Amino acid sequence: MLPQLSVVTLGVRDVEVTYSFYAQLGWDPVQYVPGEVVFFQVGHGILISFFRSDHLAAESGATGAASLAPVTLGHNVGSPNEVDAILHEAAAAGGSIAAPGVQMSWGGYSGYFTDPDGFRWEVCHNPGLSVDEDGKVSLAVLEQQPLVAQAAPQPGIQAQPAAGN
């Protein structure tokens, strides 16, 4: 088996709510079947699908609660300002800020939001991450930074616990 990933499928309670949330973030669906599933392209040849959770369980077998899995989805951007802007967008679209953007000890800047089903997204600026024309990812080791106290949420944004916590 080749080490590749082409689709990540997440079970959701309400496909319409999920579709609306991501559409408000500017995502265009590749395919949308109301009440069943929505697919978005998130990279070269990579899709994320949000599938009605009861149908996903019937198809793939029952699983534990999503909140039990220590999983985050990552979205890398070009600057700390982009991190903060996307966190604001997610909150405005109905998501919750789980952690505001802060300077990280490893040299980057990141924050977290959850979507309406509680899936946690890390929005991150990693100045050591680069992707070449062939899609190969390189990660440079950055100078360690001293830990700083977590930044206070910006006006109108409050850190919220993830769904299920």
Side-chain angles (χ1 to χ4, degrees):
M1 180 173 168
L2 294 174
Q4 67 182 27
L5 179 68
S6 52
V7 179
V8 173
T9 300
L10 302 174
V12 298
R13 293 180 297 259
D14 187 325
V15 174
E16 281 68 35
V17 169
T18 301
Y19 167 77
S20 176
F21 176 78
Y22 288 98
Q24 287 181 59
L25 293 179
W27 293 25
D28 292 320
V30 172
Q31 184 179 52
Y32 176 45
V33 180
E36 188 66 26
V37 67
V38 60
F39 291 87
F40 297 99
Q41 185 163 352
V42 294
H44 182 81
I46 302 172
L47 297 172
I48 188 166
S49 74
F50 298 96
F51 193 27
R52 202 169 116 178
S53 58
D54 58 335
H55 289 196
L56 179 59
E59 184 176 298
S60 66
T63 61
S67 63
L68 298 177
V71 174
T72 62
L73 302 168
H75 180 71
N76 288 289
V77 297
S79 73
N81 287 340
E82 288 180 74
V83 170
D84 292 335
I86 290 169
L87 293 173
H88 283 289
E89 278 186 69
S96 296
I97 304 302
V102 296
Q103 184 67 42
M104 305 304 286
S105 64
W106 49 266
Y109 183 89
S110 71
Y112 291 84
F113 72 86
T114 59
D115 74 4
D117 278 281
F119 291 111
R120 193 173 300 256
W121 284 85
E122 177 188 21
V123 184
C124 178
H125 168 62
N126 182 342
L129 184 141
S130 63
V131 181
D132 69 19
E133 289 181 16
D134 294 331
K136 183 177 180 183
V137 176
S138 298
L139 285 168
V141 176
L142 301 174
E143 183 177 322
Q144 293 286 315
Q145 303 291 318
L147 283 177
V148 295
Q150 186 164 339
Q154 297 182 2
I157 294 187
Q158 295 181 335
Q160 300 289 323
N165 288 349

